[in-house]
Amino acid sequence: MKILQNKMPQNLILKNVSKHISLDENEISYFLSILTEKKYPKKSIILKEGEICRSINFVLSGTLRSFYRDSEGKESTIMFAAADWWITDMACFINQQPAMLNIETIEESLILQLKKEDLDNLYIKIPKFERFFRIIMQNAYIREQVRVIQNLSLSAEQRYYIFLEKYPEVSKQIKQKQIASYLGITPEFLSMIRANKK
């Protein structure tokens, strides 16, 4: 596969990887060669529930969200991903099963995709990437565990303030109903919280 020519994607993802592992020039070259750069317009569905989840995605620019849609069509936002974040339906990606989640772009987004078979080969060719993705997955697990505990122990208002601290830029790009679905409250109740904040 063609190595990324644009320096911006190279620099951003290599900086992300370097937080946890160090690569030599050959390892960098191989890693970049298995990534696919894709640009998506606003409101593009990059993963639809029921499809096999074939890739993990690194966000270069833009904002994405993953969400679950129940049988009545109600959406619950699971997470947001801005630049320098990874996003996928992890359980379905690892097991190559139909996706439980949808992933869409909130605004025009540029992402790098890494397919499951390429990731498996990467682990064999450059074993230190097992450490990198283990840390990524551990951090994701911790983040979700903390979120569940916050949902059980904190008020909606407290969770909203935490959201604003965690996603300061994302919060400016997304609709109120998407924030509400992430917090597990109605848009009307979120409006009341925001009104009280002023």
Side-chain angles (χ1 to χ4, degrees), residues 22-65:
S22 298
L23 302 175
D24 64 31
E25 289 301 316
N26 289 334
E27 291 168 338
I28 289 172
S29 180
Y30 177 76
F31 176 56
L32 295 177
S33 77
I34 60 176
L35 300 172
T36 302
E37 183 179 321
K38 290 194 176 180
K39 190 173 189 178
Y40 289 94
K42 180 179 180 179
K43 289 192 172 181
S44 295
I45 297 291
I46 67 171
L47 178 65
K48 186 176 181 181
E49 59 188 290
E51 296 178 347
I52 300 298
C53 184
R54 302 194 184 282
S55 64
I56 185 169
N57 310 285
F58 179 77
V59 184
L60 294 167
S61 64
T63 310
L64 290 77
R65 76 172 182 125

Side-chain angles (χ1 to χ4, degrees), residues 1 30-31 33-36 52-56 92-97 113-126 129 133:
M1 295 178 115
Y30 177 76
F31 176 56
S33 77
I34 60 176
L35 300 172
T36 302
I52 300 298
C53 184
R54 302 194 184 282
S55 64
I56 185 169
C92 297
F93 172 68
I94 295 299
N95 297 311
Q96 288 295 275
Q97 294 176 343
Q113 294 186 320
L114 178 59
K115 292 183 179 178
K116 177 64 165 61
E117 57 267 32
D118 290 327
L119 178 60
D120 290 339
N121 289 332
L122 182 64
Y123 289 157
I124 295 168
K125 193 169 182 72
I126 310 175
F129 268 100
F133 281 103

Side-chain angles (χ1 to χ4, degrees), residues 2-183:
K2 190 176 180 182
I3 296 176
L4 300 172
Q5 298 300 313
N6 188 330
K7 291 294 180 185
M8 189 276 279
Q10 286 187 30
N11 292 341
L12 189 59
I13 196 165
L14 292 177
K15 185 177 178 182
N16 182 274
V17 169
S18 70
K19 293 174 186 176
H20 305 299
I21 60 173
S22 298
L23 302 175
D24 64 31
E25 289 301 316
N26 289 334
E27 291 168 338
I28 289 172
S29 180
Y30 177 76
F31 176 56
L32 295 177
S33 77
I34 60 176
L35 300 172
T36 302
E37 183 179 321
K38 290 194 176 180
K39 190 173 189 178
Y40 289 94
K42 180 179 180 179
K43 289 192 172 181
S44 295
I45 297 291
I46 67 171
L47 178 65
K48 186 176 181 181
E49 59 188 290
E51 296 178 347
I52 300 298
C53 184
R54 302 194 184 282
S55 64
I56 185 169
N57 310 285
F58 179 77
V59 184
L60 294 167
S61 64
T63 310
L64 290 77
R65 76 172 182 125
S66 65
F67 63 94
Y68 173 77
R69 185 185 288 119
D70 68 18
S71 58
E72 297 178 356
K74 180 183 175 184
E75 294 180 2
S76 296
T77 298
I78 305 302
M79 73 170 286
F80 297 99
D84 201 34
W85 284 60
W86 294 86
I87 186 170
T88 191
D89 182 333
M90 190 59 73
C92 297
F93 172 68
I94 295 299
N95 297 311
Q96 288 295 275
Q97 294 176 343
M100 296 181 286
L101 304 177
N102 300 277
I103 300 177
E104 72 170 356
T105 58
I106 292 174
E107 56 185 333
E108 182 178 271
S109 300
L110 185 64
I111 65 174
L112 294 175
Q113 294 186 320
L114 178 59
K115 292 183 179 178
K116 177 64 165 61
E117 57 267 32
D118 290 327
L119 178 60
D120 290 339
N121 289 332
L122 182 64
Y123 289 157
I124 295 168
K125 193 169 182 72
I126 310 175
K128 66 182 86 172
F129 268 100
E130 287 195 314
R131 168 182 163 78
F132 174 76
F133 281 103
R134 174 177 56 78
I135 294 170
I136 293 294
M137 292 176 196
Q138 282 176 180
N139 289 343
Y141 180 85
I142 292 167
R143 184 175 64 243
E144 290 310 306
Q145 179 175 299
V146 168
R147 184 181 167 204
V148 169
I149 293 170
Q150 288 173 345
N151 286 346
L152 294 171
S153 62
L154 301 179
S155 68
E157 187 173 9
Q158 289 171 314
R159 299 199 310 271
Y160 175 60
Y161 294 143
I162 289 170
F163 171 81
L164 293 180
E165 288 176 13
K166 182 177 178 182
Y167 295 108
E169 293 304 316
V170 174
S171 63
K172 299 172 187 174
Q173 307 293 334
I174 58 183
K175 297 177 182 177
Q176 182 168 304
K177 70 176 185 179
Q178 293 170 341
I179 298 175
S181 75
Y182 178 80
L183 296 173

